[in-house]
Amino acid sequence: MSKEILSQSFNFEGQVALVTGSGRGLGRMIAETLLNGGAAIALHDINEEAPNAFGESPSLTALAATLSGRGGAKVMSVIGDISKEDDTKAMVKKVEAALGPISILVNCAGGDIAAKGGKPNPNDALYISLEDAHAVMNRNFMGTMLMCRAVVPGMVQRQNGAVINFGSLNGHIGVSPEVVYGCAKAAILHYTRCLALEMRPHGVRVNAVSPGPTTTARFLATRTTDPAKMDGVSLERYAKPAEIAHAVAFLASSQAGFVNGQVLRVDGGMTLFAG
Ligand SMILES: NC(=O)c1ccc[n+]([C@@H]2O[C@H](COP(=O)([O-])OP(=O)(O)OC[C@H]3O[C@@H](n4cnc5c(N)ncnc54)[C@H](O)[C@@H]3O)[C@@H](O)[C@H]2O)c1
């Protein structure tokens, strides 16, 4: 993964970044990119083993050790379920005790996962079970909101902070299956706008990135991919994780100092509607 990271990074020296779901996939790529720019990093996942689900690292602790070895800023790890308020509060306390106040929060954790694991089935508008619908909303929308509630009040006090939330292509257009997942992502995008409005007087910026299909290890392991969409000049392809991480890095950086309440669709132009 690391060779895809920005060679000339934005400068995040002196910053503390908590990236949820950074044990693997996009979150990990984002954490590595911010680390490369000099930020101290709190890696996070739901449990120790999550980074190993698709073979990306034996454990969260092992990943923290690997990234710490790169020198520069500190790397630590925290575990918790973002859909549980007590977990979010405890994680933030632990991170801030070890690294100092969080100045960058990336809410990357999420996914279309049923209450008992796997994908909801059925996964449509009328027949998804209520249990799975709640699980998907909790893992995505409620989790993002709870993390913001745990971190952003401190940013307000310090009059400094950048939050980047995660939408998806599915949050912008009608989809089936993955209907409730699309609704949860749409809710995250609108929450982003509303929180950004509330934060205007306080100098805290809140933005979102909406990726199109992206070749994370999970993505590659859980579907049949089209080889023609893996590489090439055409933008009618899958995104690479680094392409999403670069967009997050921009939104987290001082170069985006007047960008607030925006949703950056990083999908190669797959969704070309106004707004
Ligand atoms: N890869 C894509 O094609 C794609 C496209 C659009 C949006 N996204 C979004 O990007 C984000 C990352 O996706 P990815 O492809 O890297 O997936 P991934 O499954 O590899 O990573 C998601 C991470 O979130 C963690 N997580 C999930 N639920 C959690 C919870 N309740 N508490 C704590 N951690 C939890 C997982 O353990 C995992 O580490 C997700 O929000 C996803 O919806 C991905």
Side-chain angles (χ1 to χ4, degrees), residues 90-169:
M91 289 189 305
V92 171
K93 208 170 162 189
K94 191 174 169 196
V95 171
E96 297 201 328
L99 302 179
I102 296 165
S103 55
I104 299 171
L105 169 65
V106 183
N107 282 311
C108 185
D112 187 33
I113 303 170
K116 295 187 173 67
K119 290 255 180 193
N121 183 17
N123 203 4
D124 59 2
L126 295 180
Y127 299 109
I128 183 173
S129 74
L130 207 49
E131 189 191 18
D132 285 348
H134 280 301
V136 173
M137 286 307 284
N138 287 343
R139 186 183 298 278
N140 292 280
F141 173 58
M142 297 305 290
T144 295
M145 186 177 81
L146 286 171
M147 286 306 304
C148 288
R149 287 158 66 113
V151 174
V152 174
M155 291 178 165
V156 169
Q157 271 181 5
R158 298 185 291 276
Q159 304 271 288
N160 173 46
V163 178
I164 296 95
N165 293 329
F166 259 72
S168 163
L169 169 75

Side-chain angles (χ1 to χ4, degrees), residues 82 89 187 197:
I82 58 162
K89 287 183 175 166
L197 177 67

Side-chain angles (χ1 to χ4, degrees), residues 230-253:
M230 294 304 284
D231 274 307
V233 172
S234 168
L235 297 176
E236 292 173 330
R237 60 169 171 80
Y238 307 124
K240 298 186 189 323
E243 292 171 320
I244 309 302
H246 293 173
V248 173
F250 166 67
L251 290 172
S253 75

Side-chain angles (χ1 to χ4, degrees), residues 20-28 30 44-47 50-51 53-54 56 79-84 87 91 107-113 135 138-140 143 166-170 181 185 188 209-219 223 239 244:
T20 68
S22 49
R24 66 176 196 239
L26 285 176
R28 172 177 171 169
I30 293 159
H44 157 263
D45 220 314
I46 193 163
N47 55 42
F54 305 101
E56 291 162 82
I79 287 184
D81 184 337
I82 58 162
S83 66
K84 296 187 175 145
D87 283 19
M91 289 189 305
N107 282 311
C108 185
D112 187 33
I113 303 170
N138 287 343
R139 186 183 298 278
N140 292 280
F166 259 72
S168 163
L169 169 75
N170 291 25
Y181 171 72
K185 290 299 193 182
I188 289 172
V209 164
S210 269
T214 308
T215 57
T216 56
R218 176 196 56 78
F219 180 88
R223 69 206 66 213
I244 309 302

